[in-house]
Amino acid sequence: MIMLAILLVKPDYGSSMSVEIQPNVMDIHRAFAGTELGQELATRVRYERYKDEGVTNERWQELLGADVNNLLHMPLTRGIARAINRNLRRDQPGFLTSHEEQVLETAAIIHDWAEVIVGDITYSNKTNQDEAQERNHLHKIIEDVAQMQPQLAGLIFEAAEGVVFDDHTKLGNIFNTVERVGYMRTALRASEHIYAGTAADCETGFRWLMADVICNHVVTLVQRADQYVPVQRYLDDRADYIDRAFAVIEPTDFDNYDDVTKPVKRLAYNEALAAWAQTTSTDCQTA
């Protein structure tokens, strides 16, 4: 199971008995959170596209948790990255160096800073132009934060260049996987509210959110499970919840899309269902 608890980083005692102090990437988060941009980001929510009319940001976060707060999303993502790092050490020892682990966690801390300027753009709607604008704004923010944390500046720039905007590198691919686990985590939380009948005021939006996340991420996560044992463990652990998410989605949930996008999303959903069914005994309706 991928645990989301954040553990203390222990110093590395070498044979010389000297102590190597590991950088605390949460210092980077605290530096940004204290800026005007960080404080503004803390007032915003993610997945706002799916939020039903009249639902407050406070209600949205109450139901879906810290991950939908635009600022808190990043330390939570760092928690997912730490959990994957820890499980990779156990299941695939030597896959990452300690420095690569730090870079991955730093990427989690900084990756959405620019959303305070460009906004939270849905994963499937983000264009290359959006990526370029976000990258430019992120670099400007990084330069300011790096001045506040000069001892961590190199780590910050390395995470931005080699991970956040490049999912073709080893670390970029892992971080992309971390993000996809995060999306699934929130979608499954929405699914459980629908299943339990505890969010009637948000059900329409939750259904749309779930359908979109499933279309965007299930196939890739099933594929990544062959690369990363911790991802397979996560899918195994959450299998019942994923089964329920597929079961509660209805064909009418795709009416949220326009006439051009709707058939594309229905096809993506059916491909996700087929990929998931190959790994489990799931037997749900196609869209």
Side-chain angles (χ1 to χ4, degrees), residues 24-35 38 71 78 109 113 145 148-149:
N24 186 348
V25 299
M26 284 303 292
D27 287 341
I28 300 171
H29 172 72
R30 284 186 281 267
F32 172 74
T35 67
L71 181 65
R78 187 244 179 168
I109 286 294
W113 283 354
V145 174
M148 293 184 277
Q149 294 290 329

Side-chain angles (χ1 to χ4, degrees), residues 113-134:
W113 283 354
E115 286 191 358
V116 69
I117 299 171
V118 302
D120 177 36
I121 303 173
T122 303
Y123 182 90
S124 56
N125 287 355
K126 187 171 287 189
T127 65
N128 290 336
Q129 183 178 1
D130 293 329
E131 286 279 358
Q133 290 179 348
E134 187 172 346

Side-chain angles (χ1 to χ4, degrees), residues 174-195:
I174 298 175
F175 181 66
N176 177 268
T177 305
V178 167
E179 287 197 283
R180 290 176 187 274
V181 170
Y183 280 114
M184 283 298 298
R185 178 183 179 277
T186 297
L188 294 182
R189 185 157 176 164
S191 171
E192 287 305 293
H193 279 298
I194 293 175
Y195 184 76

Side-chain angles (χ1 to χ4, degrees), residues 211-212 214-219 246 249 251 254 257-276 285-287:
D212 211 39
I214 283 175
C215 289
N216 292 338
H217 302 294
V218 166
V219 171
F246 274 110
I249 290 176
F254 294 89
Y257 300 105
D258 60 39
D259 291 339
V260 175
T261 308
K262 187 188 301 183
V264 176
K265 289 294 184 178
R266 284 187 170 180
L267 176 61
Y269 171 85
N270 291 335
E271 289 174 346
L273 180 60
W276 182 245
Q285 64 178 351
T286 58

Side-chain angles (χ1 to χ4, degrees), residues 49-258:
R49 174 192 189 194
Y50 312 100
K51 187 155 65 72
D52 296 80
E53 186 176 355
V55 176
T56 65
N57 287 355
E58 291 75 17
R59 173 64 171 165
W60 195 243
Q61 186 172 331
E62 172 194 348
L63 292 171
L64 295 179
D67 192 48
V68 299
N69 178 283
N70 243 156
L71 181 65
L72 298 180
H73 161 66
M74 285 171 281
L76 187 143
T77 302
R78 187 244 179 168
I80 298 175
R82 290 201 78 176
I84 286 185
N85 280 340
R86 186 170 59 249
N87 282 276
L88 281 172
R89 275 184 242 127
R90 180 190 63 192
D91 297 325
Q92 296 170 251
F95 190 82
L96 294 179
T97 67
S98 60
H99 177 72
E100 286 174 327
E101 289 179 358
Q102 293 161 16
V103 173
L104 185 66
E105 292 180 27
T106 301
I109 286 294
I110 71 172
H111 73 283
D112 277 347
W113 283 354
E115 286 191 358
V116 69
I117 299 171
V118 302
D120 177 36
I121 303 173
T122 303
Y123 182 90
S124 56
N125 287 355
K126 187 171 287 189
T127 65
N128 290 336
Q129 183 178 1
D130 293 329
E131 286 279 358
Q133 290 179 348
E134 187 172 346
R135 183 172 191 159
N136 289 335
H137 288 301
L138 179 60
H139 274 293
K140 293 176 183 178
I141 297 171
I142 283 174
E143 289 175 2
D144 292 335
V145 174
Q147 292 180 13
M148 293 184 277
Q149 294 290 329
Q151 74 280 12
L152 297 173
L155 199 59
I156 296 171
F157 283 110
E158 184 178 355
E161 286 298 322
V163 183
V164 176
F165 291 108
D166 191 352
D167 60 7
H168 298 295
T169 65
K170 179 173 77 168
L171 289 182
N173 187 269
I174 298 175
F175 181 66
N176 177 268
T177 305
V178 167
E179 287 197 283
R180 290 176 187 274
V181 170
Y183 280 114
M184 283 298 298
R185 178 183 179 277
T186 297
L188 294 182
R189 185 157 176 164
S191 171
E192 287 305 293
H193 279 298
I194 293 175
Y195 184 76
T198 52
D201 54 333
C202 295
E203 182 164 335
T204 300
F206 278 5
R207 287 183 174 279
W208 185 12
L209 186 160
M210 288 163 47
D212 211 39
V213 168
I214 283 175
C215 289
N216 292 338
H217 302 294
V218 166
V219 171
T220 301
L221 283 174
V222 169
Q223 294 169 347
R224 298 276 171 86
D226 291 333
Q227 293 177 259
Y228 311 120
V229 177
V231 175
Q232 185 63 63
R233 289 182 182 275
Y234 173 78
L235 294 178
D236 289 344
D237 181 72
R238 309 308 286 174
D240 289 345
Y241 297 93
I242 297 173
D243 284 346
R244 280 205 289 267
F246 274 110
V248 300
I249 290 176
E250 300 174 354
T252 54
D253 295 330
F254 294 89
D255 292 341
N256 291 291
Y257 300 105
D258 60 39

